[in-house]
Amino acid sequence: MSAPSAPSAPSVPPVPPYGPYREDCPWCGSRRLRLRTRLRGDGPRQGAPHRSALERCADCRHVFRNPPLTPGPEHPVVRAGVRLRHALAARAMLHRCPGPESWLDVGTGDADFPHTARTHFPYTSFDGLDPTHRVLRARAVERVEEAYVGRLTDPHIAARLRARYDVVSLFQHLERVVDPRAELCAALRVLRPGGHLLVDVADPRRLLPTHPVGLGAELVAQGCTVLTGARGHRVIARKDASAP
Ligand SMILES: [Zn+2]
């Protein structure tokens, strides 16, 4: 009996590269948004609707991409750029916190950052948190020691990881969550007093300075000392011993 001829491959609809457009500022909730720059295309994602723009909040001056990009397969050039940024961030942390025992990478995906950072921190135990099961695959190939599927703001994750880590890192993560302020507070809660927070907010596709203007002030309000410049794309802060 001859095998039936293979049906033609069903066409898979492309993953939408953008999340939903938002009417309010992700940082302060203001609805007074001003168009700053319309972005035409996204290089690696050519063919996608050209409808992302940079908008600026008239109240807190936060600049963000609207609609936000969703995580997706990256162009090799972008991936190489991300690897370089990971290495630079790890080195920047090394100067301020040379020997952390425990490190949580939030929104870790395939744990690319722990994989790179391990070169500089061979004795550090890296854990990963991600809303997808990619983090389980990362644990299977020993890129992280513990893998958590979920979000920092999930009550069971927050309770389990409370005050546990010497370092918590968020790479291109705050700009992809619905409530970055809540996410930032949750990140500080899993940090032990005296621990270090690493936040990188640059857009890897365009190296846009999408630094939330309120980030430094928020960190200070939450009981941290900001150790890097206020307007860079990368912020390192130390959680004060008296912080909650
Ligand atoms: Zn705002």
Side-chain angles (χ1 to χ4, degrees):
M1 187 192 288
S2 63
S5 60
S8 60
S11 63
V12 179
V15 177
Y18 301 111
Y21 181 85
R22 55 185 303 160
E23 304 283 346
D24 60 342
C25 167
W27 195 250
C28 76
S30 165
R31 297 174 75 89
R32 300 203 304 144
L33 305 182
R34 304 282 181 266
L35 179 68
R36 209 171 161 221
T37 312
R38 199 173 291 286
L39 303 172
R40 285 191 55 76
D42 277 309
R45 292 182 180 199
Q46 289 287 359
H50 294 173
R51 59 188 176 91
S52 200
L54 280 188
E55 290 196 316
R56 181 189 181 101
C57 170
D59 285 314
C60 77
R61 296 186 294 139
H62 176 44
V63 177
F64 64 102
R65 188 190 272 265
N66 200 9
L69 287 161
T70 54
E74 305 282 14
H75 189 277
V77 172
V78 174
R79 281 205 303 272
V82 170
R83 273 198 300 276
L84 175 63
R85 299 176 65 81
H86 285 169
L88 291 173
R91 284 220 290 272
M93 182 58 89
L94 192 61
H95 293 305
R96 294 167 173 98
C97 181
E101 290 183 12
S102 55
W103 188 318
L104 178 69
D105 188 42
V106 179
T108 197
D110 297 314
D112 290 333
F113 175 63
H115 183 62
T116 298
R118 197 178 293 283
T119 312
H120 301 280
F121 297 91
Y123 304 112
T124 300
S125 171
F126 285 93
D127 293 349
L129 170 71
D130 199 81
T132 73
H133 284 199
R134 289 159 68 197
V135 67
L136 299 179
R137 203 167 59 202
R139 182 180 61 190
V141 297
E142 300 184 343
R143 283 187 161 199
V144 292
E145 297 196 19
E146 297 286 341
Y148 301 99
V149 178
R151 298 182 185 279
L152 274 177
T153 46
D154 292 343
H156 69 284
I157 299 264
R160 182 162 178 194
L161 303 184
R162 186 176 178 84
R164 186 163 144 184
Y165 290 98
D166 296 324
V167 178
V168 173
S169 50
L170 303 103
F171 261 94
Q172 281 99 46
H173 178 70
L174 282 184
E175 57 271 49
R176 296 182 191 277
V177 298
V178 175
D179 188 346
R181 194 184 292 264
E183 192 81 3
L184 185 68
C185 292
L188 291 172
R189 279 195 291 272
V190 301
L191 204 58
R192 68 164 176 78
H196 287 74
L197 182 76
L198 168 63
V199 181
D200 189 302
V201 289
D203 184 327
R205 293 171 188 80
R206 291 176 173 273
L207 297 180
L208 292 171
T210 51
H211 181 76
V213 173
L215 180 59
E218 183 70 23
L219 286 167
V220 171
Q222 295 291 331
C224 293
T225 302
V226 179
L227 305 176
T228 46
R231 294 193 64 82
H233 55 78
R234 183 193 307 132
V235 175
I236 295 177
R238 187 181 58 237
K239 180 177 176 178
D240 297 340
S242 58

